[in-house]
Amino acid sequence: MKKKFMALVLGLALTASLIAGCGGKSAGTQSTGSTDSTPAAGSTAAGSESAGSESAGQMVEGGDFIKGVSTEAPGFDPFTIQTAEARSIFFNIYEGLMGTGTDGSFETALAESYEVSDDLQTYTFVLREGVKFHDGSDLTMEDVLYSIEKAITAPITGYNEIDQYMAGGKAYTVTYKTDKDEDGKEIQTAEIAAADSADAPSDEKTLVIHLNTPDSGFLAIITNPIVPKDAKDLATNPIGTGPFKMEEFMEQDHTLLTKFEDYWGEPAHLDSVTLKYYENTAELATNYLAGAIDGFNSNSGGWRELEGTDYVQNVRHANAVQVLALNNDFGPFKDVRVRQAVAYAVDSDEIIETVSYGMGTKAGTPVTPGLQKYFNDELTSVYDVNVEKAKELLKEAGQENLSFTIRVPSNYQVHVDTAQVIANQLAKAGITVDIESVDWNTWLTRVYQKSEYEATVVSVDGRIAFPTAFLNRYVSTASDNFIRFNSKAFDDVYAKAILETDDAEQVKLFKEAQKIISDECASVYLQDIDMIVVNSPRFGGFASYPLYVDDYSALYSVQ
């Protein structure tokens, strides 16, 4: 028996008191409200961080918006590029079979309907008709099948759960095997074989996906983009079905998005959005004041430079956990006592007050606090600052003269400032810290991809609104385990969590997995920083999502 689900809320909730507590002194319009939403099946309440305040005046169609950004997306291929900044752009260009709503619920997108089996292993989607890609071609089942194959072989996390998918009278069977890369690290590869099948839907609109394990979060995974089957060089020429299309990309200068006139859904209001790149966040406020840009996002004090000027400010969570990441393969950090000593010497509350101006939520775990249903709030105070305890642990470990380098991305001022505060805090425990600032591309290559670092400060987000997006990287064999965390206890509990079909038991297991990460002190989890979204009063339409995204289709001009 199959049952049709209402949109499943795997939402990220934020209490009204937090938003109200985010008010700062400003001549601009300060957002202090929050929106409530009614949870759907199997979920706790979900709310968008802030509905925000709107510019005074009447909405008009058309207009061009220029946004200042400090990090350039390294490319636009959704199967190979997974940085937060890239995904924020993808949100406007690409669409999946399912999409994520502002309240955290999952909504039909390129699928017009779906069904889920009782055992959570068979998902059936009916393809939406009348959808066009940016190149003018029609969306077909062939495009969907091609995109699923790309996601499986990439691989995109979660797609390795698919053991068979069927459409158009054919069944596609997936076989997985484990190999090793040039560094000896285990990697999973997939081979797909197609064959005629009497069990496969005979029409060209119905897709059936069968999983090798039950997964209540698969609707989040299937939000990954659908692209044309004959797409070439998506990294520089992305083609999707979204409300905006890529018009121009000039490396280290700007990206131009223009309204897609043949969009199947509610069309964008603006004619274009230009993302103008700057070397660091400090330049954003300066260029806003100079009239060079119409808005920017700030998770540090840059927006405070706008006092006395005219602007609209909205507050939302970044939905990413800022972490002092400790490379567990680095000599001293192989000892859990040393990692714990660092954690006890770091004062997250001071970082929130001094670096984030009080606009952040304490974490204690890699899962963002906004993912309220799954967030283990018992861990936020486990490593409350205790310098004497830190010194004792260092003495036990024979590391009384501990020293290490924090390699931090220079384009994020908030992380640079946080590293400096941490260095001062650790000095009280006798720990010597050097800070090395590197450009973003160097950080991505050396720190994130190759784990060539001792410690770093960065915010880590989730690709989807489900705890697996935050926890999967801690699996010992995960390709994105840049912290090099290795714990059999975690691996075992996490494996049970993703297989569990009982909702309450699954929540319990995800929280237990977080506790193991805390007990073994994989790293130091600081805060989810509030994101300050600054726009010119000539624009309205702020929309907040439980993901690290900007929805440009919601923006509109005001006169």
Side-chain angles (χ1 to χ4, degrees):
M1 175 183 176
K2 294 182 178 179
K3 57 184 178 180
K4 191 168 185 177
F5 281 82
M6 296 294 289
L8 177 65
V9 177
L10 301 170
L12 295 141
L14 184 70
T15 61
S17 60
L18 174 59
I19 292 297
C22 289
K25 296 179 180 179
S26 169
T29 307
Q30 173 68 46
S31 165
T32 57
S34 69
T35 56
D36 297 325
S37 65
T38 302
S43 178
T44 53
S48 58
E49 286 73 2
S50 170
S53 53
E54 297 295 350
S55 303
Q58 184 177 357
M59 180 181 77
V60 295
E61 297 296 321
D64 306 294
F65 182 81
I66 302 175
K67 181 159 191 165
V69 295
S70 61
T71 305
E72 182 177 65
F76 304 99
D77 185 337
F79 302 102
T80 60
I81 305 297
Q82 289 296 321
T83 67
E85 289 73 20
R87 288 198 303 270
S88 186
I89 298 175
F90 295 171
F91 190 81
N92 299 275
I93 297 175
Y94 296 113
E95 293 172 305
L97 292 174
M98 300 295 292
T100 305
T102 56
D103 64 353
S105 62
F106 294 110
E107 306 170 340
T108 55
L110 298 185
E112 66 179 19
S113 64
Y114 68 95
E115 293 181 346
V116 184
S117 63
D118 289 333
D119 64 1
L120 301 176
Q121 284 191 257
T122 303
Y123 287 73
T124 303
F125 302 91
V126 176
L127 196 60
R128 188 180 298 278
E129 294 183 336
V131 177
K132 286 187 177 294
F133 285 106
H134 298 156
D135 63 0
S137 62
D138 294 323
L139 170 69
T140 68
M141 184 59 73
E142 288 185 78
D143 303 311
V144 176
L145 296 176
Y146 170 78
S147 300
I148 291 175
E149 179 180 345
K150 289 278 289 183
I152 291 173
T153 57
I156 299 297
T157 300
Y159 277 80
N160 61 344
E161 297 177 353
I162 299 176
D163 61 15
Q164 188 179 65
Y165 53 102
M166 301 183 290
K170 287 186 177 294
Y172 301 82
T173 303
V174 188
T175 303
Y176 299 95
K177 63 179 181 178
T178 301
D179 293 323
K180 290 188 177 181
D181 62 15
E182 57 185 14
D183 297 323
K185 189 175 182 179
E186 289 188 351
I187 56 173
Q188 189 180 65
T189 59
E191 294 181 356
I192 302 173
D196 293 336
S197 172
D199 296 326
S202 58
D203 64 274
E204 294 296 332
K205 286 189 60 181
T206 305
L207 169 71
V208 177
I209 296 177
H210 187 267
L211 308 181
N212 52 35
T213 181
D215 187 356
S216 61
F218 188 71
L219 289 180
I221 294 168
I222 208 69
T223 59
N224 205 67
I226 302 297
V227 302
K229 62 182 181 301
D230 54 357
K232 298 291 191 297
D233 195 16
L234 291 171
T236 57
N237 183 35
I239 299 174
T241 60
F244 284 93
K245 62 180 181 179
M246 175 78 75
E247 190 70 32
E248 183 178 65
F249 171 59
M250 292 189 64
E251 191 172 358
Q252 298 183 350
D253 188 78
H254 73 272
T255 296
L256 173 62
L257 307 179
T258 57
K259 178 179 178 178
F260 181 39
E261 297 294 346
D262 291 327
Y263 183 56
W264 63 269
E266 183 177 346
H269 302 290
L270 296 171
D271 293 324
S272 73
V273 173
T274 299
L275 305 178
K276 178 67 176 174
Y277 299 110
Y278 296 94
E279 287 189 6
N280 55 66
T281 54
E283 296 183 60
L284 298 177
T286 300
N287 280 275
Y288 178 86
L289 291 171
I293 58 177
D294 299 310
F296 64 96
N297 294 349
S298 174
N299 53 12
S300 59
W303 55 275
R304 290 176 175 264
E305 298 178 30
L306 307 183
E307 291 185 1
T309 67
D310 198 13
Y311 68 98
V312 176
Q313 175 179 304
N314 293 280
V315 180
R316 64 173 171 84
H317 260 337
N319 296 313
V321 174
Q322 186 190 41
V323 57
L324 169 62
L326 307 176
N327 187 340
N328 288 198
D329 274 352
F330 170 60
F333 292 153
K334 292 180 179 180
D335 190 326
V336 64
R337 294 171 298 180
V338 177
R339 302 196 299 269
Q340 290 173 334
V342 172
Y344 278 119
V346 171
D347 187 345
S348 297
D349 293 316
E350 182 183 31
I351 292 169
I352 292 172
E353 289 303 316
T354 58
V355 178
S356 301
Y357 297 90
M359 304 179 78
T361 303
K362 198 170 179 179
T365 160
V367 174
T368 177
L371 197 56
Q372 188 179 53
K373 179 178 177 179
Y374 302 96
F375 175 66
N376 191 338
D377 58 5
E378 296 179 357
L379 305 177
T380 57
S381 300
V382 170
Y383 293 102
D384 276 353
V385 62
N386 187 334
V387 175
E388 292 307 312
K389 178 70 172 177
K391 290 180 178 178
E392 290 174 10
L393 287 167
L394 290 173
K395 185 175 181 179
E396 288 179 16
Q399 291 289 339
E400 294 163 286
N401 297 314
L402 177 65
S403 65
F404 62 90
T405 298
I406 299 177
R407 180 169 287 163
V408 62
S410 60
N411 56 314
Y412 285 108
Q413 192 61 44
V414 64
H415 299 323
V416 175
D417 292 345
T418 298
Q420 186 58 62
V421 172
I422 288 175
N424 293 337
Q425 292 174 344
L426 295 184
K428 298 175 183 177
I431 302 172
T432 302
V433 172
D434 292 323
I435 298 173
E436 179 189 0
S437 294
V438 297
D439 65 83
W440 180 240
N441 286 333
T442 298
W443 188 93
L444 279 176
T445 301
R446 298 187 61 187
V447 177
Y448 189 73
Q449 296 175 2
K450 297 183 177 181
S451 293
E452 294 177 353
Y453 75 103
E454 296 170 1
T456 188
V457 176
V458 73
S459 286
V460 181
D461 78 323
R463 185 179 66 85
I464 56 176
F466 198 65
T468 54
F470 299 89
L471 295 175
N472 190 74
R473 71 177 70 250
Y474 290 88
V475 174
S476 301
T477 56
S479 60
D480 55 353
N481 184 358
F482 76 102
I483 291 173
R484 299 297 174 92
F485 182 62
N486 191 328
S487 168
K488 185 179 185 303
F490 172 82
D491 291 348
D492 291 345
V493 170
Y494 180 75
K496 291 179 182 178
I498 60 178
L499 291 175
E500 182 58 55
T501 58
D502 180 79
D503 184 68
E505 183 62 23
Q506 186 181 56
V507 170
K508 179 181 176 182
L509 287 168
F510 277 132
K511 289 187 176 182
E512 183 181 344
Q514 293 170 67
K515 186 176 186 303
I516 294 171
I517 289 175
S518 175
D519 290 347
E520 299 189 23
C521 199
S523 286
V524 185
Y525 304 95
L526 305 171
Q527 61 172 324
D528 187 350
I529 309 170
D530 286 342
M531 182 71 74
I532 314 301
V533 182
V534 173
N535 286 340
S536 161
R538 296 186 295 107
F539 297 91
F542 171 79
S544 180
Y545 288 80
L547 296 166
Y548 189 97
V549 298
D550 290 306
D551 182 2
Y552 299 126
S553 69
L555 284 175
Y556 55 81
S557 299
V558 172
Q559 70 174 20

